Amino acid sequence: MVSNVFPGHSFYHAGRYVAKKPGAELLDYLGVRGYDYKLMAEDFIAQSDLRPTKKQACFHAALSFYPGEKPSDELMNQIAKEYLEELGIVNTQYVIIKHTDKAHLHLHILANMIDNEGKPIKDGWIGLRGKKAAQQLTRKYRLIPAEGKHLDLTHLEALSQSEANRYRIYQAIADNLPHCHSLPDLEKRLIAQGIHTQYKYKGQTQELQGISFKIGKDRFKGSQIDRKFSLGNLQKTLAIQKQIQGTKSKLSLEGRKKALLIRTNSIQTASPNPQIHQEIPPMSMDLSKQIHGEEGVPYELTDGYRKKKKKKKSLGQ
């Protein structure tokens, strides 16, 4: 299960998005009129006015289940409530809505960060705390865990433009990095997708100190995209990939050399040896002469054989 917290939303904007989505199902609500998003927004706003100094009173998060995972409505509702409790969002208004418009089930949760007594609810590091809460609940209810960031489980349309661009950069780097052996390789692949790579140098030297990625008007440090995409970690990954590629090339070259040597030996073995005739013993050579004659003619057909035979015949008479 994956948690995504969407900052900067208003109650009206978030309420309209979660309620008007095709296939949206209201699972639970408390302290608001959940059957109409306009009335729901009015109820949220009325309570948030108890603390007008609170700049961001709207809490909006999505809990996405792994594709193919289908927990019951009762279980999803229970998970959503425990998720809010883990974040300390208690004694306040909330709405829990199920969406079925994607390949995976997911919940949208709206809550008021001004509680029922007009006190503000702490929201420091709430995105990170939400991810940890989702991991705990995933283990508790034996759900399928999700590794890393997944665009297919991230609702980009619910994110701000800047946050959506950050996820797009993440996915682009993750897709292209395995095919690169250097930073220029990666830079060339990313530029084809409209993502510009920018470097930070130490002082007036050419020593690299940092890396950033820019898409449109949004610019993020590598570590802001993900820790594994900081300059140091990217360089380590690329160095390992280059070393592996070098090893593969060396093994391939050695394999070709070995194959060529085997082929050469096979050809030499199949070829006739001109020295074989020279190594025949003298006795064998004499016998060959007796059988085939001096010029290779069978001895029985030579004049010498006929004369010798005629002489033996006359002696016999």
Side-chain angles (χ1 to χ4, degrees), residues 25-30 32 34 77 81 94-98:
E25 297 180 28
L26 181 65
L27 295 185
D28 198 7
Y29 60 96
L30 181 67
V32 295
N77 193 35
K81 290 180 179 179
Y94 65 79
V95 173
I96 302 170
I97 296 179
K98 178 177 74 171

Side-chain angles (χ1 to χ4, degrees), residues 149-214:
K149 294 182 176 68
H150 294 272
L151 275 185
D152 55 343
L153 301 181
T154 302
H155 308 275
L156 296 182
E157 68 274 18
L159 296 172
S160 65
Q161 183 64 43
S162 178
E163 190 68 8
N165 281 337
R166 187 170 72 90
Y167 271 86
R168 290 189 179 97
I169 294 173
Y170 172 90
Q171 194 65 49
I173 298 175
D175 290 343
N176 288 287
L177 186 59
H179 308 288
C180 301
H181 302 130
S182 66
L183 287 173
D185 287 348
L186 179 61
E187 182 178 355
K188 183 177 180 181
R189 284 176 169 268
L190 292 180
I191 196 67
Q193 296 181 238
I195 300 171
H196 298 267
T197 304
Q198 298 177 339
Y199 301 101
K200 180 182 178 181
Y201 296 92
K202 186 176 182 180
Q204 301 298 317
T205 70
Q206 291 298 309
E207 181 182 348
L208 282 178
Q209 195 173 37
I211 190 169
S212 298
F213 302 95
K214 184 180 180 182

Side-chain angles (χ1 to χ4, degrees), residues 20-21 66 279 288 291:
K20 299 293 286 183
K21 200 76 171 180
Y66 203 83
E279 294 174 359
S288 175
I291 296 174

